[in-house]
Amino acid sequence: MDGHDSDGKQNSADMTAFVQNLLQQMQTRFQAMSETIVTKIDEMGNRIDELEQSINELKVEMGADASPSPLTPSKSKPAGDSEEI
């Protein structure tokens, strides 16, 4: 039976090594995905900053234009136009 015990210990050691290897692979993949996500979020933040800058530049250009925009809503509304949802 001593041979059987050593086989059991070997199988247990093999299973432990397999599980440790699998966990290491999962950790490596998770870390790579996390880095990819963080990079994408940073890129998105930069693009949003650029978009905000472009919008501000357009606002300045529109403000420099002397003619009022036809799309500007009027400040006063007639009393009967209020609409509730």
Side-chain angles (χ1 to χ4, degrees), residues 8-79:
K9 288 179 184 178
Q10 182 62 38
N11 286 340
S12 178
D14 289 345
M15 183 61 74
T16 300
F18 173 77
V19 170
Q20 286 176 339
N21 185 31
L22 185 62
L23 289 173
Q24 182 63 42
Q25 289 177 5
M26 289 173 60
Q27 182 178 5
T28 301
R29 289 179 182 168
F30 180 78
Q31 188 172 10
M33 284 191 296
S34 295
E35 290 171 2
T36 300
I37 290 169
V38 169
T39 299
K40 296 282 186 188
I41 289 172
D42 288 343
E43 289 173 1
M44 192 182 323
N46 290 336
R47 292 176 73 182
I48 289 171
D49 290 343
E50 290 172 4
L51 181 59
E52 286 177 335
Q53 182 64 34
S54 295
I55 289 170
N56 288 333
E57 289 171 3
L58 287 172
K59 284 181 179 180
V60 169
E61 288 177 21
M62 293 299 290
D65 189 5
S67 63
S69 171
L71 299 177
T72 305
S74 62
K75 300 261 182 192
S76 61
K77 288 185 177 179

